[in-house]
Amino acid sequence: MKRKSIMAFLTVGTVLALTGCGVKAPEKPTETTTAATTAAETVTSEDTATDDSAKAEAEPTGSEITLVMAEVNPPDTIVGMTDTKFKEEVESRSNGAIKIDLQASGVLGAEKDVLDNMMGGGGTVDISRISAFSLTPYGAEKSMLLSLPYTFVSRDHYWNFATSDLANEFLNEPVEHNLGVRGIFYGEEGFRHFFTKDEITDISSFNGMKLRVSEDPIMEGLAKGLGASPTVIPFTDLYSSLQTGVVDGAEQPIANYKSNAFPEVAPYMILDGHTIGATEIIITDEAWNELSEEQQQIIIEAGKAAQAYNREISAQKENEVLEQLKSDGVNIIEVSDLTPWQEAVKPVIDENIKGQEDLYKKIVDMQ
């Protein structure tokens, strides 16, 4: 029950031919009769225009289709709210012809499971919000640059990239590699920070720790650079893994840290901001090709609106959550000097920009 073509063709109008009915008009109509007739004609004309306008506004754009969208985080997170905005924009702009079946909170599986399904033609998921660096293991070398630690020095720096022509080049990379998906737009969910079960004070606290990372060479290299042992486990298993001691810590944006209840099992968070949580909405080529050109344009325009919304709410939402965490007694550790952190991960950066030095410099220079 992935998608349904409900209407193959839509009738856009009906031509009505009116002929004389043989009714003879009064030879000398009174003023009252004339006024009444004129008013009636005016009302009828206005009603017809209103009805036609309403029909035009409600007319679905193209044949109807339902697209299933996956989100690993809850709806009340920054990414969840952005997904909802995208859904609303698509459905509104298409007059209901394109429906987005948003499945949040990881009900369709972990991010890697969803990506495997989308790229393998599984047919279960059409659209997904992913972390931009999740495409790295599939050969997206450009996307890898977005996850390199301490690349983006501020939110404005990131948005300078995300709204640039260079971003479009990155979004199109999966098409160039025939991965079966394509990017629609970039967003963000705040800077990512480490959180742990036991007390931490600075970078030295990570020595020997088991840190959960995604299946990504950058994140694995980052953990090793901090002296920790990278441990790959699905995001959906992270809470229980922290609870049982399978891992000692992990990293997430602030809003996701709270919404997934991680403070319950890992109440220490150090604000190192090693990378911004760059996100991306992708769609399968199969789903994209089922859309008409007009519907494809609707998806693109809805993406622009959702991206603007994401930029508007992200910082505000993050600050609100951070204050709430402090009020709840979570141990928030500030980092006054990032120099030791940057030096620790420099080998990871140098190793992973090989062959793309100029492209990486373009991103760095956008600050």
Side-chain angles (χ1 to χ4, degrees):
M1 190 174 151
K2 181 167 96 58
R3 63 174 74 85
K4 307 175 196 169
S5 291
I6 299 189
M7 299 169 65
F9 300 95
L10 295 172
T11 304
V12 294
T14 303
V15 179
L16 299 177
L18 298 178
T19 59
C21 59
V23 178
K24 186 177 181 180
E27 292 181 2
K28 294 182 180 180
T30 63
E31 282 187 18
T32 304
T33 303
T34 303
T37 302
T38 302
E41 291 174 348
T42 301
V43 170
T44 301
S45 175
E46 289 176 350
D47 287 347
T48 302
T50 301
D51 290 344
D52 289 344
S53 175
K55 285 180 180 179
E57 290 178 0
E59 197 74 37
T61 306
S63 56
E64 294 188 6
I65 186 170
T66 297
L67 302 175
V68 177
M69 181 175 183
E71 171 56 64
V72 72
N73 284 295
D76 63 345
T77 58
I78 292 171
V79 288
M81 294 166 67
T82 303
D83 295 341
T84 300
K85 177 65 173 177
F86 177 68
K87 165 186 167 70
E88 292 170 348
E89 289 288 338
V90 169
E91 293 178 350
S92 173
R93 290 167 185 265
S94 68
N95 294 324
I98 310 173
K99 292 181 172 59
I100 304 294
D101 179 10
L102 177 57
Q103 298 289 324
S105 301
V107 297
L108 295 180
E111 198 166 272
K112 185 181 184 302
D113 298 329
V114 169
L115 279 170
D116 287 343
N117 180 283
M118 295 177 75
M119 295 183 187
T124 305
V125 183
D126 303 299
I127 300 176
S128 181
R129 194 285 311 167
I130 63 170
S131 297
F133 58 78
S134 296
L135 293 172
T136 302
Y138 300 89
E141 297 175 351
K142 293 177 184 176
S143 297
M144 175 186 65
L145 300 179
L146 303 181
S147 65
L148 290 173
Y150 307 109
T151 294
F152 294 104
V153 300
S154 66
R155 265 196 166 90
D156 286 343
H157 182 190
Y158 172 74
W159 283 108
N160 288 342
F161 161 78
T163 55
S164 70
D165 291 338
L166 186 61
N168 292 329
E169 181 181 325
F170 277 57
L171 288 169
N172 197 51
E173 185 182 19
V175 178
E176 296 172 357
H177 290 289
N178 296 314
L179 296 182
V181 298
R182 62 189 61 218
I184 302 173
F185 69 94
Y186 282 119
E188 53 100 344
E189 51 185 342
F191 280 92
R192 301 174 74 98
H193 311 281
F194 287 103
F195 54 92
T196 59
K197 291 169 56 69
D198 300 319
E199 183 177 4
I200 52 177
T201 55
D202 53 32
I203 189 172
S204 65
S205 301
F206 290 97
N207 191 38
M209 263 192 192
K210 293 175 293 183
L211 287 180
R212 179 268 173 183
V213 295
S214 56
E215 189 175 345
D216 170 51
I218 302 297
M219 294 308 299
E220 292 181 24
L222 171 60
K224 289 178 180 177
L226 299 178
S229 174
T231 306
V232 178
I233 59 172
F235 181 77
T236 47
D237 295 339
L238 180 52
Y239 184 96
S240 60
S241 296
L242 286 164
Q243 192 173 38
T244 58
V246 173
V247 292
D248 302 310
E251 53 86 50
Q252 279 290 300
I254 291 172
N256 290 354
Y257 170 65
K258 182 178 186 299
S259 65
N260 287 282
F262 293 136
E264 296 175 358
V265 289
Y268 297 90
M269 172 172 268
I270 187 164
L271 303 181
D272 70 300
H274 48 273
T275 187
I276 196 164
T279 65
E280 182 178 355
I281 300 291
I282 60 172
I283 184 171
T284 64
D285 289 340
E286 180 184 358
W288 181 257
N289 292 332
E290 285 191 18
L291 301 172
S292 67
E293 289 186 7
E294 185 178 5
Q295 289 176 325
Q296 289 173 353
Q297 190 60 36
I298 286 172
I299 294 291
I300 292 171
E301 294 302 318
K304 291 178 181 178
Q307 182 184 64
Y309 173 77
N310 173 262
R311 185 175 186 175
E312 176 186 336
I313 68 167
S314 187
Q316 176 186 348
K317 178 79 171 175
E318 184 181 61
N319 290 335
E320 290 175 357
V321 172
L322 182 58
E323 292 307 311
Q324 183 62 55
L325 289 172
K326 291 178 180 178
S327 298
D328 291 344
V330 175
N331 300 278
I332 303 296
I333 301 96
E334 302 282 350
V335 176
S336 58
D337 182 12
L338 283 174
T339 303
W341 302 75
Q342 293 167 330
E343 291 177 349
V345 301
K346 190 176 184 301
V348 179
I349 298 174
D350 293 341
E351 175 64 27
N352 287 283
I353 64 172
K354 289 180 178 178
Q356 300 192 96
E357 291 89 348
D358 291 343
L359 188 58
Y360 184 66
K361 187 176 186 303
K362 286 182 180 179
I363 298 173
V364 172
D365 289 345
M366 286 183 171
Q367 60 185 279

